[in-house]
């Protein structure tokens, strides 16, 4: 009960791990490409949460200027935006050719 | 009992906003006051828009419901509440239901950081302006969902056009805002005061900090580095009209174009939520413009016309405003037709005039007008923006959609970028001179 | 500096919202419902960032993620949303292997976390953490990480050009 009520870095890590697992399950099991891309965003958010939680922990050790985790999180968000844009562009290009959005049917190069 | 009273009264001498001071009770009171003020403002805007637009078009507007149509908004609200709630057959139920709520949530949450005075805000976040821009961009989501969930082509096209327009003009708004934020860090005094990086002070994103920077630099940012501040203000003023889907950028919701766009399939109370959100968003972006460029709660000429007599003159403005409105009411009462049908309306108008006169007289009491000063100047500036919105609607023809996108991307965006660079150069010119001199 | 209030309540509320949102994202048949659940999860994450005294990252999350990336997702979903896709099978043939792999990863996480639980000692947090958060981040971003900042802007330029080229009908 004591560990449940006293929110520490470990709680954030467990939450981040759970979200990461949900994202991984989404990527590995869904057929709809858009939902796979959204699961990737979920993974990136889990990582961001971990980074910011560790930045918060690091501030208690190194002083209030140790915000490296938050800066890293900002870069990850920027990269996620770029990747989502490119991924959705690829999706639109493929949809225009094959009229489907299931990852199973993206098999033109299969033997 | 005593600790509760201590908790409530301990805030009264604080120099912080209730959110920053951690006082829940006063934060809640402020939230209720802002909500109330916003509702009254939206109702007043409804009446004002119809009357002012009518007078600009040489007609009278609503005249029947109350004296000069003053009770028209209430009649509209009752009608909207009693209308049948229609949902299209193939519409996605949950998304159709939640879309108006997201738009209203986004439009109302923005007011958490709007500063009506140095301590008269619900809270003062470190990222105030970023929070306002971010939350107001959440309303795009609600509009897209409303258009998609209606399962009909007019709303879908209207929603896509509306969201494309809002997203484009958010970029232009953001650049104009960045240029104003840059000015908060340049701490020299006056119109062309140049700060230097070595002063150790930094700029700030907090709304109260931005107005405090204007107060400390003795200039409203609209006049700083003239004409750079003015051009940034104009870019924001144009972008904010496009952001709220108002004329002349209201193609997505104009009746002659798209049969009311994304809210075609909404009726009754749900439609009134969209309408409420639109007016709240108008007031919110006007608040951003007033805070960033027009000095927020500062009265005009605090340094040029200083001293206790000038302070007294400016302090009397709230009372004079309400007495002026009361005088207009009494004049209209005198001009009412002297027919028994109009007896109740005449009495109503005289009563309303008396109420305004009473408020005006209360505002002459020194203990009251000292507290009300900041809120009054802020409200007057926002009211001027609301009048401008209605004036634009009555004057300008509508932009075609490709012209709209061209203005947003090809004209406002490069201007904003150039303005940002010029503002930075103007602010750093002493360092630049030293650097150029050291090279040559 | 005010002490944080009701931290466990807000943490569990926001964490619950995120987990429920995550589960809805990966299980909904309709892609628009998944997108809505993801928006709820992202907004809850912004709340968690605020609890971790990171207001600037929270603001960036709301503007970029919830207000930008999700709008992009919704546009594309509306563009490619076919009625027949919703009636087809939602999970692919190797869903069991996928869940087994995720379970193995979860087991790895649990092992590491239970072994390393004692590392995080309870230290006192310094005061005044949120007052100058943006300013301190800007000192780091334009100082130590300036190169990464420029590379990120180059990356965004490449991504914009790439997305436009790929989505055009005729290049």
């Amino acid at each position: 009960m004591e560990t449940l009520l006293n929110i520490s870095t470990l709680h954030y890590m467990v939450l981040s791990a759970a979200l990461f697992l949900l994202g991984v399950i989404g990527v590995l099991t869904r057929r709809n490409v858009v939902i796979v891309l959204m699961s990737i965003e979920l993974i990136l958010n889990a990582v961001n949460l971990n980074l910011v939680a560790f930045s918060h922990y690091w501030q208690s050790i190194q002083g209030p200027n140790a915000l490296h985790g938050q800066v890293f999180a900002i870069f990850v968000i920027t990269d996620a935006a770029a990747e989502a844009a490119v991924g959705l562009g690829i999706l639109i290009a493929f949809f225009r050719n094959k009229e489907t959005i299931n990852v199973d049917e993206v098999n033109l190069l299969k033997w | 009992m005593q600790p509760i009273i201590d908790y409530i009264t301990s805030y009264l001498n604080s120099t912080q906003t209730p959110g920053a001071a951690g006082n829940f009770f006063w934060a809640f009171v402020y939230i209720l006051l802002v909500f109330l003020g916003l509702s009254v403002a939206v109702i007043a805007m409804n009446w004002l828009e119809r009357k002012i637009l009518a007078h600009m078009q040489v007609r009278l507007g609503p005249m029947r419901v109350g004296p000069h149509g003053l009770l028209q908004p209430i009649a509209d609200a009752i009608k909207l509440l009693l209308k049948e709630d229609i949902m299209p057959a193939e519409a996605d139920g949950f998304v159709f239901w939640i879309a108006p709520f997201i738009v209203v949530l986004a439009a109302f949450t923005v007011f958490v950081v709007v500063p009506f005075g140095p301590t008269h805000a619900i809270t003062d976040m470190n990222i105030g302006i970023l929070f306002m821009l971010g939350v107001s961009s959440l309303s795009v989501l609600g509009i897209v969902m409303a258009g998609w969930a209606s399962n009909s082509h007019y709303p879908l096209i209207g929603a896509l056009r509306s969201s494309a327009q809002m997203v484009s003009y958010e970029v232009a708004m953001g650049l104009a805002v960045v240029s104003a934020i840059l000015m908060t860090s340049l701490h020299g005094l006056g119109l062309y005061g140049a700060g230097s990086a070595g002063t150790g002070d930094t700029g700030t994103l907090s709304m109260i900090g931005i107005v405090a920077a204007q107060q400390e630099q003795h200039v409203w940012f609209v006049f700083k580095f003239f004409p750079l501040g003015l051009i940034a203000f104009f870019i924001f003023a144009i972008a904010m009209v496009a952001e709220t889907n108002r004329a002349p950028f209201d193609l997505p919701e104009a009746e002659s174009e798209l049969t009311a766009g994304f809210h075609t399939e909404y009726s009754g109370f749900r439609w009134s939520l969209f309408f409420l959100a639109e007016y709240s968003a108008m007031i919110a972006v006007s608040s951003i413009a007033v805070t960033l460029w027009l000095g927020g709660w500062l009265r005009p000429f605090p340094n040029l016309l200083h001293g206790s007599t000038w302070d007294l003159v400016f302090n009397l403005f709230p009372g004079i405003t309400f007495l002026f409105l009361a005088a207009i009411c009494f004049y209209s009462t005198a001009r009412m037709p002297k027919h028994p049908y109009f007896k109740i309306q005449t009495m109503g108008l005289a009563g309303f005039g008396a109420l305004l006169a009473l408020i005006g007289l209360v505002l002459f009491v020194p203990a009251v007008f000292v507290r009300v000063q900041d809120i009054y100047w802020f409200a007057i500036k926002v009211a001027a923006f609301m009048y401008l919105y209605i004036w634009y609607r009555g004057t300008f023809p509508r932009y075609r959609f490709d012209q709209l996108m061209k203005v947003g991307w090809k004209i406002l965006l490069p201007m904003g970028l150039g303005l940002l660079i010029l503002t930075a150069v103007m602010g750093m010119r002493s360092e630049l001179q030293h650097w150029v001199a050291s090279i040559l | 500096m005010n002490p944080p209030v009701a931290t466990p309540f807000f943490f569990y509320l926001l964490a619950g919202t995120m987990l429920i949102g995550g589960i809805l994202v990966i299980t909904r048949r309709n892609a628009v419902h998944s997108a809505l659940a993801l928006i709820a999860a992202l907004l809850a994450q912004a709340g968690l960032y605020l609890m971790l005294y990171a207001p600037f990252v929270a603001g960036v999350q709301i503007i970029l993620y919830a207000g930008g990336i999700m709008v992009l997702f919704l546009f594309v979903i509306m563009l490619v949303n076919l009625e027949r896709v919703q009636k087809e099978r939602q999970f692919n043939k190797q869903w069991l292997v996928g869940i087994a792999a995720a379970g193995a990863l979860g087991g790895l996480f649990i092992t590491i976390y239970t072994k390393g639980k004692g590392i995080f000692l309870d230290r006192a947090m310094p005061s005044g953490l949120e007052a100058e958060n943006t300013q301190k981040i800007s000192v780091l971003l334009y100082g130590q990480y300036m190169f990464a900042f420029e590379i990120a802007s180059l990356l965004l330029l490449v991504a914009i050009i790439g997305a436009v080229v790929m989505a055009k009908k005729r290049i």
Side-chain angles (χ1 to χ4, degrees):
Chain A
M1 199 58 193
E2 179 64 23
T3 47
L4 274 186
L5 277 186
N6 207 359
I7 306 293
S8 70
T9 315
L10 187 64
H11 292 76
Y12 287 101
M13 279 178 68
V14 167
L15 175 64
S16 149
L19 285 168
F20 190 86
L21 284 177
L22 284 176
V24 164
I25 293 178
V27 169
L28 291 177
T29 56
R30 290 295 304 239
R31 284 179 82 205
N32 194 339
V33 177
V34 188
I35 297 191
V36 167
L37 284 171
M38 284 199 272
S39 309
I40 295 179
E41 299 297 331
L42 208 53
I43 293 176
L44 287 167
N45 270 307
V47 167
N48 265 344
L49 186 60
N50 220 354
L51 285 168
V52 174
F54 270 103
S55 151
H56 181 74
Y57 174 69
W58 206 235
Q59 279 187 312
S60 71
I61 299 182
Q62 270 204 348
N65 288 334
L67 292 171
H68 305 263
Q70 295 183 17
V71 173
F72 200 166
I74 294 176
F75 280 121
V76 170
I77 294 179
T78 313
D79 281 337
E83 165 203 334
V86 172
L88 291 169
I90 295 178
L91 165 68
I92 291 182
F94 197 80
F95 176 76
R96 205 178 290 134
N97 279 323
K98 229 190 166 227
E99 200 74 20
T100 177
I101 48 171
N102 290 323
V103 271
D104 295 3
E105 300 172 19
V106 181
N107 54 5
L108 288 174
L109 287 178
K110 220 170 166 184
W111 60 86
Chain B
M1 195 60 195
Q2 190 57 30
I4 299 181
I5 298 188
D6 281 338
Y7 182 62
I8 294 179
T9 52
S10 66
Y11 171 69
L12 287 173
N13 300 326
S14 161
T15 56
Q16 288 180 311
T17 57
N23 197 319
F24 278 99
F25 173 76
W26 282 105
F28 193 62
V29 168
Y30 276 34
I31 290 175
L32 281 180
L33 283 175
V34 167
F35 195 73
L36 211 65
L38 208 53
S39 310
V40 167
V42 167
I43 290 177
M45 264 298 285
N46 190 7
W47 179 78
L48 277 172
E49 171 160 28
R50 293 179 72 168
K51 286 301 268 191
I52 295 179
L53 213 52
H55 282 272
M56 282 179 183
Q57 293 167 351
V58 197
R59 55 184 174 93
L60 282 176
M63 293 286 281
R64 277 190 182 275
V65 182
H68 284 271
L70 279 171
L71 296 179
Q72 182 72 40
I74 302 178
D76 280 341
I78 297 177
K79 174 202 80 165
L80 284 170
L81 284 173
L82 294 177
K83 257 193 178 178
E84 178 192 355
D85 202 15
I86 303 176
M87 188 183 295
E90 298 286 325
D92 196 339
F94 179 66
V95 181
F96 190 82
W97 175 81
I98 210 179
F101 283 112
I102 293 188
V103 183
V104 167
L105 210 67
F108 273 78
T109 312
V110 166
F111 283 93
V112 158
V113 284
V114 164
F116 297 96
T119 60
H120 301 123
I122 296 177
T123 182
D124 182 31
M125 298 178 78
N126 177 252
I127 49 158
I129 188 67
L130 198 68
F131 180 78
M132 284 193 83
L133 286 179
V135 172
S136 67
S137 76
L138 287 180
S139 56
V140 180
L141 286 171
I143 291 179
V144 164
M145 288 198 293
W148 181 83
S150 301
N151 202 25
S152 146
H153 49 276
Y154 284 131
L156 190 63
I157 299 180
L160 287 175
R161 279 189 182 173
S162 171
S163 50
Q165 167 188 331
M166 288 172 86
V167 163
S168 320
Y169 282 89
E170 260 168 31
V171 184
M173 265 171 78
L175 280 177
V177 163
V178 168
S179 149
I181 302 287
L182 184 60
M183 290 185 201
T184 62
S185 66
L186 305 174
H187 283 270
L189 291 185
L191 276 188
Y192 288 99
S196 72
T199 57
D201 279 345
T202 49
T204 173
L205 284 179
S206 95
M207 302 286 273
I208 294 185
I210 294 173
V211 182
Q214 293 183 61
Q215 191 171 16
E216 185 218 3
Q217 296 179 26
H218 292 187
V219 68
W220 286 1
F221 285 160
V222 69
F223 300 121
K224 194 167 170 91
F225 297 150
F226 197 85
L228 293 180
L230 193 64
I231 299 179
F233 173 64
F234 277 150
I235 292 178
F236 189 84
I238 297 173
M240 82 181 185
V241 176
E243 178 76 13
T244 47
N245 281 339
R246 287 280 293 190
F249 300 105
D250 65 346
L251 191 74
E253 62 177 35
E255 277 132 21
S256 56
E257 304 282 342
L258 274 176
T259 56
F262 62 88
H263 48 77
T264 310
E265 300 287 344
Y266 284 86
S267 64
F269 186 61
R270 295 188 218 264
W271 182 83
S272 71
L273 283 179
F274 276 117
F275 161 87
L276 179 70
E278 173 169 326
Y279 278 147
S280 302
M282 279 163 63
I283 299 179
V285 287
S286 304
S287 311
I288 298 181
V290 164
T291 309
L292 255 63
W293 282 279
L294 289 183
W297 66 78
L298 302 171
R299 71 167 174 85
F301 304 119
N303 299 303
L304 199 57
L305 304 171
H306 58 99
S308 56
T309 46
W310 277 113
D311 276 346
L312 189 64
V313 166
F314 278 107
N315 280 349
L316 292 179
F317 264 73
I320 296 178
T321 312
F322 273 93
L323 285 182
F324 179 65
L325 291 174
I328 296 179
C329 276
F330 288 137
Y331 178 65
S332 308
T333 318
R335 289 194 56 182
M336 281 279 220
K338 315 265 185 301
H339 190 277
Y341 278 168
F342 291 95
K343 201 159 59 148
I344 300 185
Q345 282 199 6
T346 316
M347 288 197 303
L349 194 56
F352 187 62
L355 179 66
L356 288 177
L358 191 64
I359 298 179
L361 286 177
V362 164
L363 284 175
F364 274 129
V365 175
V368 175
F369 66 54
V370 161
R371 299 255 164 83
V372 163
Q373 269 310 299
D374 306 321
I375 306 177
Y376 170 75
W377 286 111
F378 188 83
I380 280 290
K381 293 172 194 173
V382 171
F385 269 95
M386 293 293 113
Y387 181 72
L388 279 178
Y389 263 109
I390 301 176
W391 198 358
Y392 295 159
R393 186 171 175 186
T395 317
F396 291 127
R398 206 167 279 140
Y399 269 84
R400 213 175 53 224
F401 196 65
D402 59 313
Q403 291 170 334
L404 206 158
M405 298 299 268
K406 180 179 104 144
V407 165
W409 288 106
K410 290 198 205 170
I411 298 182
L412 290 185
L413 182 63
M415 267 172 74
L417 280 174
L419 205 70
L420 182 61
I421 297 176
L422 280 176
T423 311
V425 164
M426 278 293 286
M428 295 274 119
R429 58 178 186 275
S430 51
E431 271 88 6
L432 277 177
Q433 280 171 354
H434 289 159
W435 179 71
V436 166
S438 71
I439 289 185
L440 293 176
Chain C
M1 179 66 190
N2 307 305
V5 174
T7 309
F9 170 69
F10 283 118
F11 174 76
Y12 283 116
L13 184 69
L14 293 169
T17 310
M18 283 196 80
L19 285 172
I20 295 178
I23 294 177
L24 286 178
V25 166
I26 63 176
T27 57
R28 286 282 102 193
R29 189 171 277 271
N30 192 345
V32 174
H33 293 172
S34 295
L36 284 181
L38 188 58
I39 291 171
L42 294 174
L43 291 176
Q45 175 146 7
L48 279 173
Y49 286 153
L50 283 175
M51 281 183 68
L52 284 169
Y53 297 101
F56 188 71
V57 187
V60 167
Q61 169 100 353
I62 294 182
I63 285 189
L64 277 189
Y65 246 122
I69 297 180
M70 292 319 293
V71 172
L72 183 62
F73 266 103
L74 276 175
F75 272 15
V76 173
I77 289 175
M78 290 193 313
L79 212 55
V80 302
N81 201 23
L82 302 171
E83 277 306 310
R84 67 167 176 85
V85 173
Q86 278 181 268
K87 300 181 177 48
E88 284 181 359
R89 201 168 27 99
Q90 290 300 311
F91 294 92
N92 58 18
K93 291 201 190 75
Q94 50 260 28
W95 64 275
L96 209 52
V97 179
I99 293 189
L105 189 60
L108 181 64
F109 282 150
I110 294 176
T111 321
I112 296 181
Y113 288 0
T114 45
K115 274 197 198 298
K117 222 171 22 183
I119 282 189
F120 300 110
L121 306 171
D122 247 336
R123 285 173 217 262
M125 296 301 300
S127 64
L129 278 182
E130 352 189 282
E132 299 247 315
N133 184 266
T134 313
Q135 285 85 343
K136 291 184 193 140
I137 286 189
S138 69
V139 165
L140 272 179
L141 198 61
Y142 293 109
Q144 190 176 351
Y145 295 110
M146 184 60 178
F147 187 59
F149 183 73
E150 299 294 337
I151 299 276
S153 57
L154 196 61
L155 177 80
L156 282 173
L157 179 67
V158 169
I160 290 175
I161 297 177
V164 166
V165 164
M166 272 187 293
K168 271 169 87 75
K169 280 207 174 97
R170 298 167 55 89
I171 302 179

